[in-house]
Amino acid sequence: MLETPEAVVEALRENHDRPHGVQRTITAEELVEAAEPFDKPDVLVTALLELMTAYEYTGEHRKSPVVFARLLKVWDTAPESFSQWEAHQVFWRFKWVTTSLLQVPDVPLATVDGWIGQMRNRYEAAEHGMQPVAAMRYHVAAHTGVGLADAFDLWVTRPRTELSDCEACEIRYLAGHQVTTGEDAAALDTWAPVLAGSTACSEEPQMSQARALLPLVRLGRTDEARSHHLTGYRRVRGNTGMMHEVGLHVEFCALTRNEGRGLEILAENRPLYEATGAPLDRVGFLTGVEVLLARLVEDGHGDTPVAGPPGRNWTAQELLAHVRSEGDRLTAAFDARNATTAVGERRRLRVAQGPLLDEPLPLGLRTSSARPHAPATAPAAPAATRTEVPDDFVTLVREARRMASVGHPAGIRLWSRVAERLTDGTAEHDDRLGPPDLLHAELAEHRARLHAQEDRTADSVSELKRSAELFERLEMPWHALSTRTHALARATSLDSAPQSSESEEDDGTAPGTGRPDEDTIRAGIDEALRELERLKTEAPLTGEARGAGEAAYGADVQTERELECLSVLHSCTFAAYEEVLRQLPQAPDSAMERFEETARRLHAEAEQLGFPHQVANARQFVADLAARTGDLARAETELRAALEDIDGSERPWRATRPRAMLAQMMLAQDEPEAAVDLLHQVIADTVRHDDTEFPLAPTYALLGHAATHMGDFGAAVRHLSEAATRYDHKDAPDDAADVRLQLADVLARSGQQADAVAVLESVLADEAASSLDARLRAQARLTLARGLRELEEYLASAEEFLLLADTVAGWEDDAAIHTLVAAETATALALADRWDAAGTAYQRAVTSHAEAPNPSLIMHMMCEFARLVMLAQGPDGLDTALAHLAEADAVGAAVPEGTETFVSWFESGTVHYRRARVLAEAERFPEALTEAEAAIAAHEQGGEQGETPRAEAVRIAALIEGNGLERFNDAVVRLTAASRRCRHANLPEAAQILDALREDYLTRRPA
């Protein structure tokens, strides 16, 4: 099949599209062999380059230089066989050879130096710049510790060339050098473009993210460290070419007291223990593992089971000895090769590190028992170093104004500092800042913003009105109109409209009664738009500053006025949006038309004035209402366009909200993977831009929801835990409890029922539960009671059900909950062997069912009572059990035909099935068999959905036939047919169960 050059080229093309891994590498090796016999070596060149790439990206550094040597031989003898790109790659991959040779301690340094010398000679002959050669000299010096300062200077002082490493990789090298010299802050400044994602390549940002983790923690920037761990680890997990980076993530977990998370990483990366193609990276991986294991052993967890090399079980103590021995051996080999102690010393320094935090960094992760969980701690705030706060007051105010003009979220920190300085007397007004009222107006806007963050809308509106008055006094009509319209818009989101107009102010808002009525809002918007047009004539956008207020903003008065003009339109759009929102899902056409018109105008004028971020704002309003009215396609289109607008606005911090909205769209359209990626970026951007306003708690909650949809329960637990902690520190107990209910559900679904119960118990602790919404508290207690029942803690479950029954007893408006709670309480009490109380609850459930029917639930309760009676009393309880089942039949018979929530074939089959088992336990086998066959017939009516319960009914029928009636042949025939049917229905496990019983009967039936 590979007998022609064309066939090999096609195979190379197909292989190149595969992900890096063992299969791609093996195929690349085979294709080199296939390309060798051809007369022209051009196909061989392509095959060798492909093989070298496979080795490079899977950590097979031992083999890469051999391939390159073959490539050079062809280059020297038949250069015409290389395309322009391939010729460039010959020079480019000299760097790969140098780094690969450094990876292998068996290769003498003289050989490495020889390759660099050959690289230099060939670069000179081809008239290439020497910066890449200097970079290789630096890598050798950094590895050996010899001549490092001179090699660094020689590298960084030379200009970059087309053969230099990509900018992202060079940033990694520069920042890494700064970390080794103790300059963490400088290193993170250097890393900023890569960590922000603006500079990237195939290896970045994940390599830099791993290296930046500990510097971030050391500088207190723990939110960023958490974000880069969550996003960066996903990119390196299981990648043999990134084993050093995996080791750095393990080390990070150990030093932030997240040992359990570190153990999970080891379990996910067991194959890395056997990856030996890159010994230096192997040292990096093993050292990270050693840091983690040393922490566990030091804390007395040496017997903890851990994931080590495949093939045997390991404890922390055993694996520590193994990796320490292997690490010692490899570092000794490197130090012997280098004639220095640099590699060993770096390893010793890493292993000697102690924890960087007093408490575990909250990653929101349920982990192993290696370290008990510490109490939840507040998430670290975004580091203040992200926003430099000038000491000079004038500079501080001017910088706050600059940030306000571009809408940078970090400006809120500066305005807060301005207010603090004025309050504590460490600053006073300076005439260089303009009139005092200007600063007072700006601070009123700042306070309004803070009140809005805390959902204190009325206070926010009051501050905006105060600000507008000051701007009027300062003869700043554009700012006054903008702020006044903003106040109107914000007032529309108050809880309720006023009930009386007797004491209304001119704006239609009665103090303390709520938002203006709809007519007042519409009139206010119309007046604002008329005022906007008037100002364009009396104080045109291109006009000169009016008074000292506007003059204090500097020369660009036009930009300021344009921004305020768009702010007015934004507020009008928001008010129209709120009007529609209040009337959904039946919003009148007039309200929708009004909204569409204001959004179109905002869009058009923002586009005309050249402010794409306001175009994006208009799109977001449209997208939100489209999503709420079910037009998800339009919502997605608008949001993606909004993100493109923001990309062109030089205001990247504006992307968090539309990106979060888009994530919701993706989740609604069952694309959770896309939602997860978007939400991780939202979180990273929020921290990066010091955005204290963006609501991260619901973002983490949504991320947990998306992870649940992906079936990634571990990630869901982490993100929901983080969300709950953040809600705790926002003093939002209902939101925190709601997230913990979701968390408990995820834990239960992932088989961690005990963990779910622990979460719910913390929600319902006396002090915590007292402030919760009553229905939310009831839901938590119901879930806890069911969880305890699953753990077979029946008495505790019954106690929780009784508490729940007391809670809902007074809910006269919800009879259905009474039926549910009474039925589940009855079953719990019976399970707990509290039969008298169980009987009382049973009758209460039956009575409640008459008022608020729930036939499926009541029939399930009755069947459970039949089972439990027989379990408790044996054959003596037969009559009682049959009476319960007769009641169940009566309940089912009373359900009207066509009731959507009642599946008659399933409920009828369930009762027959239970009666068969009850009769069998009483050794009334003929009657039991009749009931079992009735159950089979009932479930057969369910078609495909009935196959699983039908198979179980067949099993019971066969057991009765064989064990009860000793009709083994009949049972074998029944089981043979049922097993065949199960396989046809794609129920292999059910078929295996039936087959096993059949085989047993075949050995027992008479000859």
Side-chain angles (χ1 to χ4, degrees):
M1 296 177 63
L2 298 175
E3 295 177 354
T4 66
E6 293 76 15
V8 174
V9 169
E10 180 59 30
L12 284 166
R13 185 177 294 112
E14 291 178 2
N15 197 46
H16 183 75
D17 292 336
R18 291 190 178 101
H20 287 292
V22 174
Q23 185 56 54
R24 176 170 173 174
T25 301
I26 291 173
T27 303
E29 291 172 337
E30 293 170 349
L31 292 174
V32 168
E33 293 180 9
E36 285 178 328
F38 301 132
D39 293 334
K40 292 181 63 177
D42 54 340
V43 178
L44 178 60
V45 168
T46 304
L48 288 170
L49 286 168
E50 171 63 23
L51 179 57
M52 192 175 179
T53 299
Y55 285 153
E56 178 73 15
Y57 287 100
T58 54
E60 291 288 350
H61 293 284
R62 290 182 182 273
K63 301 176 181 180
S64 184
V66 177
V67 179
F68 188 67
R70 294 180 63 187
L71 193 67
L72 274 185
K73 186 176 180 180
V74 181
W75 171 258
D76 289 336
T77 58
E80 71 280 359
S81 301
F82 290 73
S83 68
Q84 183 177 356
W85 180 84
E86 290 169 339
H88 177 82
Q89 287 298 302
V90 171
F91 291 96
W92 182 270
R93 297 192 184 196
F94 265 105
K95 299 178 295 181
W96 289 14
V97 172
T98 300
T99 53
S100 290
L101 292 173
L102 282 177
Q103 282 275 347
V104 183
D106 304 340
V107 178
L109 279 183
T111 301
V112 181
D113 290 335
W115 273 102
I116 296 176
Q118 184 178 167
M119 176 183 177
R120 179 185 181 89
N121 293 337
R122 290 181 181 266
Y123 272 45
E124 284 180 338
E127 298 183 347
H128 291 305
M130 290 294 107
Q131 195 261 11
V133 178
M136 294 305 102
R137 297 281 186 201
Y138 166 73
H139 289 318
V140 174
H143 173 66
T144 64
V146 177
L148 179 57
D150 290 341
F152 179 78
D153 290 341
L154 186 64
W155 165 46
V156 298
T157 56
R158 288 180 178 269
R160 285 174 50 80
T161 75
E162 64 174 354
L163 288 169
S164 296
D165 281 322
C166 78
E167 185 179 358
C169 288
E170 288 214 333
I171 285 173
R172 179 175 77 247
Y173 303 143
L174 286 167
H177 181 83
Q178 290 169 313
V179 170
T180 61
T181 58
E183 302 172 85
D184 284 347
L188 291 170
D189 288 342
T190 300
W191 257 318
V194 174
L195 297 180
S198 58
T199 302
C201 69
S202 61
E203 297 177 331
E204 291 295 350
Q206 59 266 33
M207 294 184 78
S208 288
Q209 285 177 310
R211 287 161 173 76
L213 292 173
L214 296 187
L216 286 166
V217 176
R218 286 194 290 262
L219 291 178
R221 293 161 62 168
T222 50
D223 273 352
E224 293 167 87
R226 178 192 299 108
S227 177
H228 289 306
H229 170 63
L230 293 175
T231 59
Y233 173 67
R234 294 177 69 213
R235 296 186 176 104
V236 303
R237 179 176 50 203
N239 186 342
T240 55
M242 293 276 180
M243 64 188 308
H244 176 67
E245 285 67 32
V246 174
L248 291 174
H249 281 278
V250 173
E251 178 181 16
F252 163 78
C253 291
L255 299 180
T256 58
R257 299 183 184 274
N258 283 287
E259 291 88 345
R261 169 67 167 161
L263 292 178
E264 290 185 355
I265 292 176
L266 294 190
E268 291 174 343
N269 292 275
R270 292 191 80 173
L272 297 189
Y273 288 107
E274 299 178 311
T276 59
L280 188 59
D281 283 347
R282 182 171 171 78
V283 170
F285 170 69
L286 293 176
T287 302
V289 176
E290 185 176 349
V291 172
L292 171 66
L293 297 174
R295 293 284 313 128
L296 292 174
V297 172
E298 181 182 337
D299 283 356
H301 300 291
D303 293 333
T304 299
V306 298
R312 57 161 288 189
N313 296 325
W314 298 85
T315 66
Q317 182 73 60
E318 292 167 342
L319 185 57
L320 175 60
H322 174 78
V323 299
R324 183 169 285 164
S325 174
E326 178 69 0
D328 287 343
R329 183 186 67 79
L330 286 172
T331 52
F334 278 111
D335 286 345
R337 188 271 302 271
N338 300 335
T340 69
T341 60
V343 175
E345 185 60 28
R346 283 194 291 272
R347 177 165 168 266
R348 283 189 288 275
L349 288 173
R350 285 180 66 185
V351 172
Q353 297 174 100
L356 299 175
L357 302 173
D358 294 331
E359 298 290 342
L361 175 64
L363 299 177
L365 178 67
R366 296 297 304 186
T367 57
S368 71
S369 59
R371 174 180 291 277
H373 284 293
T377 55
T385 53
R386 280 320 230 168
T387 306
E388 184 178 350
V389 181
D391 290 330
D392 178 71
F393 187 68
V394 172
T395 304
L396 172 62
V397 173
R398 286 175 175 168
E399 180 63 9
R401 285 173 176 170
R402 184 191 70 79
M403 284 195 166
S405 70
V406 297
H408 196 296
I412 198 166
R413 190 183 302 281
L414 300 185
W415 281 118
S416 293
R417 183 58 181 151
V418 170
E420 290 171 4
R421 294 282 301 275
L422 290 172
T423 300
D424 64 21
T426 58
E428 57 185 23
H429 183 74
D430 189 301
D431 289 341
R432 288 175 292 175
L433 299 174
D437 277 353
L438 176 59
L439 192 54
H440 293 320
E442 293 165 322
L443 288 172
E445 284 188 296
H446 169 64
R447 290 191 296 272
R449 192 171 174 180
L450 294 180
H451 290 322
Q453 282 188 55
E454 298 169 357
D455 295 326
R456 296 167 57 186
T457 305
D459 291 336
S460 181
V461 170
S462 178
E463 291 290 351
L464 287 169
K465 290 179 180 179
R466 181 176 293 109
S467 177
E469 292 171 0
L470 290 168
F471 282 129
E472 291 279 13
R473 190 185 305 167
L474 289 163
E475 298 185 0
M476 297 174 67
W478 282 103
H479 289 74
L481 175 60
S482 170
T483 311
R484 193 165 56 246
T485 312
H486 189 183
L488 174 66
R490 186 155 292 170
T492 64
S493 61
L494 284 164
D495 289 339
S496 61
Q499 302 301 310
S500 169
S501 60
E502 293 180 2
S503 60
E504 290 180 356
E505 299 176 356
D506 292 340
D507 64 0
T509 304
T513 59
R515 68 171 182 271
D517 59 40
E518 304 297 351
D519 290 340
T520 301
I521 292 170
R522 294 183 194 128
I525 292 173
D526 291 341
E527 176 58 31
L529 294 174
R530 286 193 295 271
E531 179 71 6
L532 187 67
E533 294 306 314
R534 185 182 66 78
L535 278 182
K536 288 181 179 179
T537 301
E538 297 182 5
L541 297 174
T542 56
E544 298 295 324
R546 291 175 56 173
E550 277 190 315
Y553 286 119
D556 198 359
V557 174
Q558 179 178 344
T559 299
E560 285 290 330
R561 290 182 176 179
E562 289 172 345
L563 286 169
E564 298 302 333
C565 170
L566 294 176
S567 177
V568 172
L569 294 175
H570 182 276
S571 294
C572 290
T573 305
F574 177 82
Y577 158 85
E578 283 284 323
E579 180 182 359
V580 173
L581 207 60
R582 284 191 295 274
Q583 300 178 78
L584 287 179
Q586 301 295 329
D589 291 342
S590 58
M592 285 298 299
E593 289 169 4
R594 188 180 189 86
F595 164 74
E596 293 283 357
E597 175 57 31
T598 56
R600 275 195 298 270
R601 182 168 179 182
L602 172 61
H603 184 134
E605 296 211 24
E607 209 165 51
Q608 178 185 349
L609 294 174
F611 290 98
H613 72 280
Q614 283 285 19
V615 176
N617 285 338
R619 294 188 190 277
Q620 288 175 70
F621 282 124
V622 173
D624 184 83
L625 284 186
R628 291 173 186 271
T629 54
D631 192 349
L632 297 185
R634 184 186 185 190
E636 181 181 348
T637 299
E638 292 290 347
L639 289 171
R640 292 194 183 279
L643 289 170
E644 290 180 9
D645 292 328
I646 291 168
D647 283 343
S649 72
E650 298 183 352
R651 302 182 183 202
W653 50 86
R654 295 273 187 177
T656 51
R657 283 163 176 78
R659 190 166 280 128
M661 291 173 65
L662 182 59
Q664 290 178 294
M665 296 301 101
M666 294 297 96
L667 196 53
Q669 296 176 75
D670 197 26
E671 296 185 39
E673 295 88 350
V676 165
D677 289 341
L678 287 164
L679 291 167
H680 275 301
Q681 190 171 352
V682 167
I683 292 166
D685 288 346
T686 301
V687 174
R688 181 178 305 119
H689 298 302
D690 200 5
D691 189 347
T692 58
E693 288 182 293
F694 187 79
L696 277 179
T699 304
Y700 274 108
L702 188 62
L703 187 54
H705 191 50
T708 303
H709 276 259
M710 290 172 60
D712 188 352
F713 293 121
V717 169
R718 291 194 297 275
H719 302 316
L720 292 171
S721 296
E722 180 71 20
T725 299
R726 288 180 176 274
Y727 276 127
D728 285 340
H729 294 280
K730 282 186 63 179
D731 195 22
D734 286 351
D735 290 326
D738 184 63
V739 169
R740 287 196 170 96
L741 281 171
Q742 298 176 52
L743 172 59
D745 177 66
V746 170
L747 287 166
R749 289 166 60 187
S750 62
Q752 297 172 274
Q753 185 66 68
D755 296 74
V757 164
V759 169
L760 293 166
E761 286 175 338
S762 71
V763 170
L764 291 168
D766 292 342
E767 185 175 342
S770 60
S771 61
L772 291 181
D773 172 80
R775 292 187 181 270
L776 184 61
R777 187 167 64 248
Q779 181 61 56
R781 197 171 299 284
L782 174 62
T783 310
L784 173 59
R786 288 171 171 171
L788 290 165
R789 184 177 63 204
E790 290 297 314
L791 293 176
E792 298 184 3
E793 298 180 26
Y794 298 128
L795 183 57
S797 173
E799 290 171 350
E800 292 295 335
F801 273 121
L802 288 170
L803 289 171
L804 178 61
D806 289 341
T807 299
V808 304
W811 293 5
E812 298 179 359
D813 60 336
D814 196 348
I817 193 66
H818 295 163
T819 305
L820 182 149
V821 172
E824 295 216 39
T825 301
T827 303
L829 288 165
L831 285 165
D833 201 26
R834 299 294 193 268
W835 285 99
D836 289 343
T840 301
Y842 183 102
Q843 292 303 322
R844 187 184 303 122
V846 172
T847 302
S848 182
H849 167 68
E851 180 181 349
N854 190 334
S856 296
L857 177 69
I858 293 298
M859 291 175 71
H860 173 76
M861 176 192 72
M862 291 169 172
C863 287
E864 270 293 274
F865 263 68
R867 180 182 74 85
L868 293 172
V869 164
M870 293 300 293
L871 187 66
Q873 302 178 25
D876 292 342
L878 178 61
D879 290 343
T880 303
L882 291 175
H884 286 308
L885 293 171
E887 285 187 284
D889 281 333
V891 170
V895 178
E897 287 190 20
T899 301
E900 291 185 4
T901 57
F902 186 78
V903 183
S904 59
W905 63 263
F906 176 78
E907 302 298 348
S908 173
T910 299
V911 177
H912 283 301
Y913 169 83
R914 180 52 56 193
R915 187 178 286 112
R917 297 200 63 166
V918 164
L919 289 166
E921 289 172 35
E923 299 186 358
R924 290 166 59 170
F925 298 122
E927 295 169 84
L929 182 58
T930 299
E931 287 296 323
E933 289 177 334
I936 294 170
H939 289 311
E940 202 153 304
Q941 298 174 28
E944 184 178 336
Q945 291 181 320
E947 288 298 329
T948 297
R950 180 189 184 280
E952 170 59 14
V954 168
R955 186 183 73 87
I956 292 300
L959 284 170
I960 294 168
E961 280 181 316
N963 294 344
L965 300 172
E966 296 185 353
R967 288 159 42 181
F968 293 107
N969 287 332
D970 290 345
V972 166
V973 171
R974 185 190 298 275
L975 290 166
T976 301
S979 174
R980 188 182 306 116
R981 178 168 177 153
C982 285
R983 294 188 192 283
H984 181 73
N986 195 27
L987 298 172
E989 291 183 9
Q992 289 173 9
I993 292 171
L994 297 177
D995 285 342
L997 182 57
R998 175 179 174 274
E999 292 300 318
D1000 177 44
Y1001 282 175
L1002 285 172
T1003 64
R1004 295 168 57 190
R1005 68 180 181 177

